[in-house]
Amino acid sequence: QHLVFFSQFCIGFFAFIIFKDRKSIRRFVGLLFISGFAVGIAGMVQKFSYKPDSNLNEIWGIWDTPEPRYFYASFTYKNHWAAFSLLLVAIGLGLYFKSLQTLSNSLSKRIYSIFYLSGIVVIIATISHCGSRSGVLIIIMFIFLLCLVLVRKFLKIFSGLTLSRLMLLLLSFLLGGLFLSKSTTTEMITNTTSQILQKDPPTRILLWGDLQEQISTKTFWGFGYDSYGSINPIFQSPKVREIRSRLLDNSHQTFVPLVGHGHSDLLEHISEFGWVGFSLSFLPLLLISMRNFLFDPSIFNQSISGGILCFLAYCCIDFPTRSPACLILISLLAGLSLKYNQLSLSK
C-alpha cells in the first residue's frame, strides 16, 4: 500500500523528466482531456439510466459501490469526480485559450475551439449533475479566480465581450446541470437547508477539530502514513462519539463504525507526515503553482496552475487525493506545469 501511494505521488517527477517540449505536453494533456470528456458523457448516460438493484454492480456492471447514492461514472464518491472534473476543466480552458491565441482564423481553429468548449461545458454540467455541493462551489471559485487574474492578459489577446460570454456560458451549464436530475438537486437543497438550520455544526467540522488535536500532539514528524484510522479514535471528541453511537443505535445490524477519513486531506496529511512532510510536498506545490498562475508567460499553463490551486483548496475541505485517479492526475499536472514553465522561460 505504501509503494502504491508513493508510485502514484511520483508520477509527476517522471512526467517532468520524460517530456522535452511544450507541444508534446499540450498533446498529452489533450488526450487526458478527451478521455475525461468521454468518462463524463458515460457518467451522465449512466445516471439517467440507473435503476437501484441490490444485485447490481453499480459502476457499469463491473464494480460495486459502498454507497450507491454517491457514485458517478467510474468514481465511487461524487466529490472525487468533482475534483477530477475541476482539473479537466482547467486543462480544457488552457487548451481553448491556446487554440484561440495561436491558430489562425480558419476552419481548424473553429473545430478545435468548439471541441474544447463542448467538452468543458459538458464536464462542468456533470459536477452539478452528480450532486457535489462542494464541487459546485470550487468550480465557481476557479472560474472567477481565473478571470480575475487573467483579465489583463485575456483582454490583450481577446475582447472583453468574449470573456463575459465565456463566463456566462460556463456558469449557465453549471446551473443547467442541476436540472438534469430532479432527485439529486432536491437532495442537495434538502441537505444544505438542514445543515444551515441545525444547531450543531456539520460532522466534518467536528472531525477537523479532532484532527487539529491530533496534529498538536505530534506536530513535527506526524504519526506516519495511513495512521489516521488507528490514531483518530484516541482523539475523538464526545460529540463525534455521540454521533457514531447514534449511527449504531439506528443500524439494522451490528457493525463497527469505521474511521476512514477526516474529510480534509490537508489536515490528514499534516497529521500523518507532520510539518516535515507538509514542507516537502504540499507547501512547495502550493508556492510553485501560485507563481505559475500569477506570472507564467503562457495562458495555457496559467489555467492549469489555477486548477491545481483550486484542487489544493478542495483538499482543505475534503479528501480528493484518496482517489487514485485524482492523485495521479494532480501529480501529472504538477510535474507537467513545472516543466512547461521551465520550457517557456528558456525559449
Side-chain angles (χ1 to χ4, degrees):
Q1 191 177 4
H2 291 65
L3 183 61
V4 170
F5 173 80
F6 184 74
S7 62
Q8 292 171 349
F9 186 77
C10 289
I11 284 177
F13 293 101
F14 295 119
F16 180 86
I17 295 169
I18 291 170
F19 287 89
K20 302 298 182 183
D21 61 88
R22 297 186 299 174
K23 191 172 184 179
S24 63
I25 292 176
R26 290 197 300 270
R27 285 179 175 175
F28 179 72
V29 298
L31 291 174
L32 292 177
F33 178 75
I34 291 170
S35 62
F37 181 20
V39 173
I41 293 175
M44 293 183 80
V45 173
Q46 173 195 55
K47 192 171 178 70
F48 283 131
S49 59
Y50 172 68
K51 294 180 181 179
D53 188 341
S54 57
N55 298 319
L56 176 70
N57 290 329
E58 285 84 6
I59 300 179
W60 300 326
I62 304 173
W63 302 293
D64 197 9
T65 59
E67 176 51 75
R69 291 182 303 159
Y70 297 144
F71 81 99
Y72 196 84
S74 57
F75 290 73
T76 57
Y77 185 41
K78 59 187 179 182
N79 287 357
H80 290 166
W81 167 252
F84 191 79
S85 297
L86 166 68
L87 297 176
L88 292 176
V89 170
I91 293 172
L93 282 172
L95 292 169
Y96 175 70
F97 293 147
K98 188 66 179 177
S99 69
L100 293 180
Q101 186 180 9
T102 58
L103 296 174
S104 59
N105 190 18
S106 62
L107 180 62
S108 60
K109 172 182 176 177
R110 292 179 182 178
I111 292 174
Y112 276 107
S113 58
I114 290 172
F115 173 76
Y116 292 139
L117 199 55
S118 300
I120 291 164
V121 296
V122 168
I123 293 169
I124 281 181
T126 64
I127 295 176
S128 46
H129 184 222
C130 75
S132 173
R133 293 173 294 164
S134 55
V136 170
L137 293 176
I138 291 292
I139 198 67
I140 291 173
M141 182 181 80
F142 170 67
I143 292 170
F144 279 100
L145 186 65
L146 194 67
C147 291
L148 184 65
V149 172
L150 300 186
V151 64
R152 285 188 179 181
K153 182 178 288 188
F154 197 97
L155 293 177
K156 287 181 182 178
I157 306 169
F158 319 110
S159 67
L161 184 60
T162 303
L163 180 61
S164 302
R165 286 174 176 173
L166 179 62
M167 282 190 65
L168 286 173
L169 180 68
L170 299 182
L171 293 174
S172 297
F173 271 82
L174 182 66
L175 181 63
L178 296 172
F179 295 94
L180 295 177
S181 176
K182 184 178 179 181
S183 59
T184 300
T185 304
T186 301
E187 183 181 358
M188 290 172 67
I189 295 171
T190 302
N191 290 342
T192 303
T193 304
S194 63
Q195 287 180 349
I196 292 173
L197 295 178
Q198 69 180 10
K199 296 180 180 178
D200 298 326
T203 306
R204 69 175 59 199
I205 293 180
L206 298 173
L207 294 174
W208 296 345
D210 294 347
L211 266 168
Q212 290 176 19
E213 187 68 25
Q214 280 181 228
I215 292 168
S216 65
T217 305
K218 205 170 184 181
T219 307
F220 195 73
W221 293 110
F223 291 94
Y225 172 67
D226 203 29
S227 60
Y228 178 83
S230 56
I231 297 296
N232 180 256
I234 302 172
F235 297 93
Q236 274 185 12
S237 61
K239 191 65 183 177
V240 173
R241 289 177 183 169
E242 179 189 333
I243 292 171
R244 295 193 185 280
S245 298
R246 205 181 306 148
L247 244 170
L248 282 169
D249 292 339
N250 294 327
S251 64
H252 297 291
Q253 57 186 11
T254 304
F255 75 102
V256 178
L258 297 175
V259 185
H261 303 290
H263 281 275
S264 173
D265 272 341
L266 174 62
L267 293 178
E268 277 191 55
H269 184 83
I270 298 174
S271 170
E272 293 180 353
F273 299 102
W275 174 255
V276 173
F278 172 78
S279 302
L280 294 175
S281 57
F282 194 95
L283 185 59
L285 179 57
L286 174 65
L287 296 176
I288 291 170
S289 298
M290 285 182 64
R291 183 203 64 182
N292 290 350
F293 182 53
L294 295 172
F295 306 114
D296 195 285
S298 168
I299 195 169
F300 164 78
N301 203 27
Q302 282 185 296
S303 178
I304 289 179
S305 299
I308 293 172
L309 286 175
C310 289
F311 184 91
L312 295 178
Y314 210 161
C315 289
C316 297
I317 60 171
D318 218 312
F319 51 100
T321 63
R322 303 296 171 170
S323 163
C326 289
L327 181 58
I328 290 172
L329 185 57
I330 189 66
S331 178
L332 264 175
L333 291 182
L336 293 174
S337 175
L338 183 60
K339 187 58 176 265
Y340 201 94
N341 176 261
Q342 184 186 81
L343 293 169
S344 296
L345 295 176
S346 63
K347 184 180 177 183

